[in-house]
Amino acid sequence: MRFGKTLQGSIYAPWRSNYIDYAKLKKLLRENESSEKHAQAWTEEEESRYVEELVNVQLEKVNAFQADTYKRLREQISECEGSINRLVASGDTQETGQRPGSDNSHDEGAMLRSTLTKLDEITKEVNELEKYSRLNFTGFLKAAKKHDRRRGSKYRVRPLLQVRLAALPFNSEDYSPLLYRLSAMYTFVRQRLHGDSERTPSMTESRSGAETYKSYKFWVHPENILEVKTYILRRLPVLVYNPQTSKIIETGQSDPTITSLYFDNSQFSLYDNKVTRAPGASSLRLRWFGHLGEKPEILFEKKTVDGNGDSEETRFPIKEKYVKSFIAGEYKLEKTVEKLRERQGSDDDGVVHLRDSIEDIQRFIKDNELQPMLRANYTRTAFQIPGDDRVRVSLDTDMAFIREDSLDSDRPCRAPEEWHRKEIDESEMEFPFSAIGQGEISRFPFALLEIRVRDGATKRTHEWVEDMMSSHLVKEAPKFSKFVHGIAQLFEDYVNSFPFWLGDLETDIRRDPEAAFQEEQEKKAKKAEDEQTVGSFFGSKSASSFTAAVGSPVGKSGAASAKRHSDVEINPEDVDSDRGSVQSGEGTPARISGMRSFLPSFSSSRYARAHRRGPAPLPPGVREPGPLIKDAGPVRVEPKVWLANQRTFVKWQHIAVLLGSLSLGLYNAAGESNNVARGLAVVYTLVAAFAGAWGWWQYVVRSRMIQERSGKDFDNIIGPIVVCTSLVVALCLNFGFKYSAAVTKLDQIHFVNRVSGGFRGGIDKFELINTGAMREDL
C-alpha cells in the first residue's frame, strides 16, 4: 500500500488539519507528470519552495502541535492527580465513621467515575499522539526520499531533514512517564470504586517469581569504543564462549562474529507489529557464531513481547541440513526429540518443552508465511563475571545488515529454493562485505551497547552502571532493534512506518561531558517528580532519593519536590589522613593539621603545593574519583621502588654511624677537665640516635605507603632539618665555647706578663741604684 493511502486511513479526525500535507508536497514535487522527457526542468525556485514547505512549514506545524498536545496532556494528568490527592486528604469513608450509603460516599463515587472518564480520554489521546508522531515522522522521510529520487541530482534534502528531525522532540518524546502515572491513577480509582485489592505499582517489582532483567541499549560513537571498553573492563572481564562446547575458552581468541537471519513475510507484518509495539509482537530468527563452514550450532529463536514489555523466548538448536526442510514444514526434528526422550524419559519437562517449542515455531512460520528477509552480522565483545549473571554487558561492533529476500522474482537477493545466501556463507565474507551491492547492504555507523542488570543486584553494581549510562560516551537508544532497523533501512519502499531513531543516524552523537551531565540530571529530576506525585495519593512514605549533584541545573527547580539532604555525607574512606581535610559541597576550605600547620613551607613538591592550596572546586559533572585503575588487582611493585626506599634507609644509618663515631672520638679525646667537649659529644650522640630512629621510621612508613599505593607525598624534610640544625647549633656552641676559652686564656697571659714585667723592672732599678752607689763609694 502506498504511504498516501496509509496516511489517509490512519488520520485521527479531530487532528486532521495538523498532519503533514503529503498531497501538497507531492504536488510541489510534480510527481504526477506523465512523462519525464516532456517535463519541464526542475528550477531553483521550485527547489526552494519545496524545501521551505517541507522543512519550515510542515515540520514546524507538526512539531508545534505535538509539543502543545503533550503539554496539555501533562496538565490534564496533573489535574486528575490533584483531584485524587484531595480525595486522599479528605480521608476514607470508613475512617471517618460514615456509612457507605451516605451522601459523601455518593459524592466520592461520582467524582471517581468522572475522573475515570477523564483518564479514558487522556489515555486515548496519548495513544493517538504516539501514532501521530510516528505517522508524520514516516511521512517526512518518505517525502525527502521522493525528492532525492526524482529531483536530487543537484540537491539532497534528506540529510538536512534528518538534522532538523534530530533537533526536534516530536519524534523522540518518551510517553512512558505519562503511561506510568495513568496506570497508577487507574489502580487507585479501581481500588476505590470496586474494592480491588491491587497493590501499588512498583517500577522495580518483578511480576513473577522468576528472575527478571532490565535491559538498556545505547549507541557508541567509534571514537568512544575503546574508552567504553576500558571503563567496563575495570568492573567486568571479557568473556568469550566457544560455540561448540559453550565453555569459557582462552581470552586470547578474537571476538566472535554473530550472524542473525530474521524472518518476515511480503507484507512485513512482523515488522509493523514491532514498530507499533502491538501486544504479542513477535520476531523469529536463526542465529549462529562464526561461519557456516565451521559447522556451528544454529539456534531457532522466537521472541514475543507482551503489552507490559515483558518478553518470552522460545529456542532450540537445529543442524544446518535440516533448516530448509523445517522451514518448509517437511521435518519436525523427530530424531532430536526421540534422542532426548530416550535419555530423559517421555514425561520429562525438557522433552515436552522441546516438542512444544518445535511445534510453536513451525506453526508460526506456516501461519504467517514467513521467509528469511534480513541478515544481521556483527562482532560481539561480551563482559561478564563467570558464574555471576547479575550484570551482563555486550558491545556489538562492525554491524552490517544485508538483504536476504526473494521478493523480486527477476532479481532475487536469495535463491527462492535456499534458506540463506550461499555466496556469502560459502565464500566466508566478512565485514565490510565489499562484494555486496550498494542497495543490498546497510552498514550501521555506530556500535551497540546493551547492559542487562538482574533485579536484586548490589548498590555498588548499580552505581557504576548508572555512571556509564549517564556519561557522554553513550547515547541512549531504548527501543532499538536490529530487526526493525535493518528492515527500515533496506526495505523502505515496502513499509509505511519507520522507527524514530532513524532521524539520529546522520547526526554526531558525541556530546560534551557537561551537557550530558546536565541532561541526565534533568531527566532524573523529572522522573523523581513523577514518582513522588504517584506515591503521594497512594500514601507512600518514601519519597524519591534523587538529589541534584554539584553543578546540576535542576538543583532549584525539578529536584525541589525530591528529598533533600541538608548535611553533606562524608565517607571516612574519602578523607586523606595526610591532608587532614575533606571536600564538601559548600566549598569549605581545607585545614592542615600537624607540623604542616606551623611549618607550611616544608615541602616544595607539586603535591605539597596543591595540598597547601586546598581542594580545587570541581567542574559540573565531575566528582572525586573512587578506586583508581592503579588500585585494581593484586599489588605489584617494581623492585627499584623497594630498593630506593632501602637505599634511603641505608643513607640515614650511614649518617648515624658517622655522627656516633664523631661523638665517641670527641668524648675519648677530651680530658676529664674538658666538660665542653664531653657535653658536645653527648649532643652528637643524641643527634646520631635521632638520625638512626628517623631513618627506620621513614623506611617503615614509606613501605606501607608503597603497599597501599598511596598518592600522598613521599618526601619529608623534617628529619634532615632537625639533624642539620642540631649539628649547626652544636658547631656554633663548640666554636663559642672554644673562642671564649681562648680569649680568657689570652687575658691571663697578658696579666701574667704585666705582673712579671713590673717585678723585673723594679729589680733592674734596684740593681741600677746599687751600682750607682758603689761607684760613688769608689
Side-chain angles (χ1 to χ4, degrees), residues 382-393:
F383 303 89
Q384 181 183 337
I385 299 176
D388 185 358
D389 60 350
R390 290 177 297 177
V391 179
R392 293 184 289 176
V393 181

Side-chain angles (χ1 to χ4, degrees), residues 466 517-529 531-532 543-550 552-565:
E466 290 178 358
F517 170 79
Q518 294 176 353
E519 180 182 350
E520 186 65 23
Q521 290 293 307
E522 291 174 353
K523 290 171 60 179
K524 290 181 178 180
K526 186 177 179 181
K527 181 179 178 182
E529 184 179 0
E531 290 180 353
Q532 189 180 31
S544 174
S545 60
F546 172 76
T547 302
V550 178
S552 172
V554 298
K556 298 182 180 179
S557 57
S561 60
K563 181 179 179 181
R564 298 178 182 273
H565 299 278

Side-chain angles (χ1 to χ4, degrees), residues 371-419:
Q371 57 177 310
M373 283 287 181
L374 175 72
R375 176 191 295 252
N377 185 275
Y378 47 92
T379 301
R380 169 162 293 182
T381 306
F383 303 89
Q384 181 183 337
I385 299 176
D388 185 358
D389 60 350
R390 290 177 297 177
V391 179
R392 293 184 289 176
V393 181
S394 62
L395 183 64
D396 298 337
T397 56
D398 297 339
M399 192 182 306
F401 301 94
I402 304 173
R403 292 183 58 166
E404 288 272 342
D405 65 287
S406 57
L407 298 177
D408 189 352
S409 58
D410 296 331
R411 300 181 59 185
C413 298
R414 168 183 53 83
E417 66 277 4
E418 298 293 339
W419 63 273

Side-chain angles (χ1 to χ4, degrees), residues 184-351:
M185 286 188 287
Y186 269 119
T187 303
F188 177 83
V189 172
R190 285 196 299 267
Q191 289 178 356
R192 289 283 182 152
L193 285 177
H194 309 296
D196 295 340
S197 58
E198 296 181 7
R199 293 184 298 168
T200 303
S202 175
M203 294 295 290
T204 59
E205 186 177 12
S206 175
R207 295 182 175 87
S208 63
E211 293 181 351
T212 58
Y213 287 83
K214 291 182 180 179
S215 179
Y216 309 91
K217 294 182 180 180
F218 304 89
W219 291 353
V220 182
H221 193 276
E223 294 183 2
N224 296 332
I225 290 178
L226 183 59
E227 189 170 356
V228 170
K229 285 185 176 181
T230 54
Y231 182 89
I232 301 173
L233 280 173
R234 294 168 57 188
R235 281 86 182 176
L236 299 176
V238 176
L239 190 63
V240 180
Y241 288 95
N242 187 337
Q244 298 293 339
T245 63
S246 298
K247 294 182 179 179
I248 302 173
I249 60 176
E250 295 295 331
T251 57
Q253 180 176 333
S254 59
D255 294 331
T257 300
I258 301 178
T259 301
S260 296
L261 206 63
Y262 292 96
F263 288 70
D264 210 333
N265 50 38
S266 57
Q267 291 78 30
F268 292 93
S269 58
L270 300 187
Y271 167 83
D272 291 334
N273 292 336
K274 290 280 288 185
V275 172
T276 59
R277 295 197 291 275
S282 302
S283 61
L284 182 67
R285 70 177 179 181
L286 285 167
R287 183 169 63 92
W288 66 87
F289 288 78
H291 301 289
L292 279 179
E294 301 172 353
K295 304 297 180 181
E297 181 183 58
I298 302 177
L299 293 176
F300 241 124
E301 299 177 337
K302 177 190 174 186
K303 184 177 181 180
T304 303
V305 181
D306 59 17
N308 296 325
D310 297 333
S311 61
E312 179 183 358
E313 294 187 2
T314 303
R315 68 175 64 184
F316 60 85
I318 187 173
K319 293 183 179 180
E320 179 185 355
K321 60 183 179 180
Y322 298 136
V323 173
K324 181 179 178 180
S325 58
F326 180 85
I327 295 174
E330 301 171 355
Y331 183 63
K332 297 185 178 181
L333 300 181
E334 292 89 350
K335 293 182 179 179
T336 304
V337 176
E338 185 63 27
K339 290 181 180 179
L340 186 62
R341 183 184 294 112
E342 292 177 356
R343 292 198 304 266
Q344 301 183 3
S346 58
D347 298 332
D348 185 75
D349 293 339
V351 177

